Amino acid sequence: MVVETVICRAREHPFDVKVYLRLPVPAGQFHRPVADFPRRGFGAHRLHGRAGFRQAVRGQARPVCPLRSEAPSGRLVGSLTAMLAAGAEHASDLDIFRSSPALFGQLPSNATVSRFFERTVTNPELFGYGFETLTRELRTRAWNAAGATNPALAATAADPLVIDIDATLVTSHSDKENVAGTYKRGYGVAPFIASCDYGAGNGSGEILAAVLRPGNAGANSAEDHIRVFHTATAQLPESFFTATGALAGEKVLVRTDSAGASRKFLWHLHRLGVQFTTSYTLPFGKAHMVDWISDKQYWQPALDQTGNDRTDAWVINATDVIPITDYPPGTKLFLRAEPLHPGAQPSLLDTDGHRITAFLTNSPRWHGPFLDARHRARGRCENRVKTLKNTGLGKLPFDFAANQAWANIVALAFNLVSWLQLAALPDGHHAKAWDIKRWRYRLFTTAGKIITRARRTQLLLPETAPEKDLLKLLLENTNRLRQLLLARSG
């Protein structure tokens, strides 16, 4: 039996996509139709395509994809986005879609894709601005479709939208533009990733910006932190900006590791009114000051990510004990103490067998354990970076400027699944915590068969399909959201 991997797209709506494995059904095998859906398709593009995805892409990508182009810009960018979301890693992987023209229609050739990325090299700033505007429009529509779970509605000074900024390394196996030796003795580029965090159980979060840098770029560059911050905030919905176009900084919290603790970057955030929480490396010269507050009776029990007290970790506000100079007013220093992990070597700051770590924040909230738990949740951004590499960022196929355009499309593919989790799944659903790799295996590869009966297209799934209920739920919710978005657009 031959198994054919396909992503089915209706010819009349080139961004309504469904991803599945199509199997020839042996005689006598029983399938029950668990969902009846229109020809316009299933999946993430069912929501965004019908809400104007194609028109938005065409309008913003027009400067780098002229009207005389053989493939419309919307179809080209959308096809690459769906390809990466389905698991591809190279631009040439589009031939899998192209091999089924009856399902996908006429897709751009490899030469057309190549010319598209050549145009991004000619006008990189123009393409970058157009893509930022496009992503902002799509994010606004997806968040509005989420209703009560819209992250923009929940963002306040007490509970701001969290933006994680972190640098990573991508290895290059050939000599390319701006590829250089890295601090880990590798060879490649050093992207800066900005992502927003919905919180545990609310989805995997989104990628706001993926800014490529040479491999020898430092992780603690204040200029690069500022650049990626403004690239990320430019893609937030209008509710994060005032009537004059200024960023409503109190609704945003920037979370970084110790590389983001530079005074220049934190002063820049302070002037914009943006909250921050960043890891801080205590100078060894201040180690004796930790001894002054080592008595745990002055510390508060730390919280885990579910909000429960821990019995073996503590937090204290050490701002009045350990002075910090030349930082923005309102900056507070918190210390965290927890037992050394087995095999860990103690440092000069580690007392009583406890590891002492520190972070800085200007948050208006003062409850140390809460601020500590929120800061330690920064580890979730590492998973988003890993998933982004598995979606196409790990293999950069072009020169530097074209690779930046490729990274933008990779981020859009990542967000496509994130928006589906946010807008089409109810609160507490187990699939909200899945990353793209698990979606591909558990959902996109579900065996199914499409038939046409009474002028309607039906998807037949095996009774034993583990995620058939999830597929049915997504079909129903995306159809409901599509009708809602169309009604709002008039």
Side-chain angles (χ1 to χ4, degrees), residues 382-400:
E382 302 289 348
N383 187 60
R384 287 191 287 273
V385 172
K386 179 196 69 175
T387 303
L388 191 65
K389 290 182 179 180
N390 292 334
T391 311
L393 188 65
K395 295 183 179 179
L396 301 173
F398 308 106
D399 288 333
F400 193 76

Side-chain angles (χ1 to χ4, degrees), residues 226 247 249 263-274 276 328-329 362:
I226 293 173
L247 178 67
R263 292 173 176 83
K264 181 177 180 180
F265 178 54
L266 297 185
W267 271 102
H268 183 78
L269 297 179
H270 171 74
R271 285 189 286 268
L272 295 175
V274 176
F276 61 79
N362 66 345

Side-chain angles (χ1 to χ4, degrees), residues 244-301:
T244 60
L247 178 67
E250 70 278 0
K251 294 184 178 182
V252 176
L253 175 115
V254 174
R255 186 169 58 189
T256 73
D257 55 13
S258 58
S262 64
R263 292 173 176 83
K264 181 177 180 180
F265 178 54
L266 297 185
W267 271 102
H268 183 78
L269 297 179
H270 171 74
R271 285 189 286 268
L272 295 175
V274 176
Q275 301 183 47
F276 61 79
T277 174
T278 175
S279 299
Y280 178 68
T281 302
L282 286 172
F284 286 127
K286 298 180 179 179
H288 66 282
M289 298 181 180
V290 178
D291 295 336
W292 297 350
I293 52 176
S294 60
D295 190 344
K296 296 303 182 292
Q297 66 174 323
Y298 302 110
W299 297 58
Q300 295 176 279

Side-chain angles (χ1 to χ4, degrees), residues 51-285:
F53 179 86
R54 178 174 52 180
Q55 290 78 5
V57 174
R58 179 180 298 150
Q60 300 303 330
R62 184 172 297 161
V64 292
C65 197
L67 293 177
R68 293 184 179 181
S69 175
E70 295 179 2
S73 55
R75 177 179 300 176
L76 191 150
V77 174
S79 299
L80 292 175
T81 302
M83 175 196 74
L84 291 170
E89 294 182 325
H90 306 278
S92 59
D93 290 339
L94 197 60
D95 60 354
I96 298 296
F97 293 10
R98 203 180 295 118
S99 63
S100 302
L103 297 174
F104 300 107
Q106 295 299 319
L107 295 184
S109 64
N110 289 341
T112 302
V113 173
S114 179
R115 287 193 295 270
F116 172 79
F117 283 101
E118 287 178 358
R119 295 188 184 100
T120 65
V121 175
T122 305
N123 297 293
E125 294 83 6
L126 188 61
F127 179 83
Y129 175 77
F131 214 92
E132 289 175 9
T133 308
L134 161 68
T135 308
R136 180 179 181 177
E137 175 66 22
L138 295 178
R139 179 169 289 109
T140 299
R141 298 183 185 186
W143 285 15
N144 289 339
T149 60
N150 184 344
L153 298 178
T156 61
D159 189 16
L161 177 73
V162 177
I163 297 180
D164 289 305
I165 298 179
D166 195 19
T168 187
L169 298 175
V170 174
T171 300
S172 177
H173 300 283
S174 62
D175 193 14
K176 298 179 181 179
E177 184 183 5
N178 284 335
V179 169
T182 67
Y183 73 95
K184 288 188 176 181
R185 299 182 180 180
Y187 189 68
V189 295
F192 235 135
I193 311 298
S195 59
C196 65
D197 189 4
Y198 302 149
N202 295 324
S204 58
E206 298 177 23
I207 302 298
L208 296 176
V211 178
L212 298 187
R213 304 181 303 155
N216 55 4
N220 58 351
S221 169
E223 291 77 9
D224 288 344
H225 275 84
I226 293 173
R227 180 160 63 102
V228 73
F229 167 75
H230 284 287
T231 302
T233 54
Q235 301 178 37
L236 294 177
E238 291 184 1
S239 58
F240 285 91
F241 297 87
T242 63
T244 60
L247 178 67
E250 70 278 0
K251 294 184 178 182
V252 176
L253 175 115
V254 174
R255 186 169 58 189
T256 73
D257 55 13
S258 58
S262 64
R263 292 173 176 83
K264 181 177 180 180
F265 178 54
L266 297 185
W267 271 102
H268 183 78
L269 297 179
H270 171 74
R271 285 189 286 268
L272 295 175
V274 176
Q275 301 183 47
F276 61 79
T277 174
T278 175
S279 299
Y280 178 68
T281 302
L282 286 172
F284 286 127

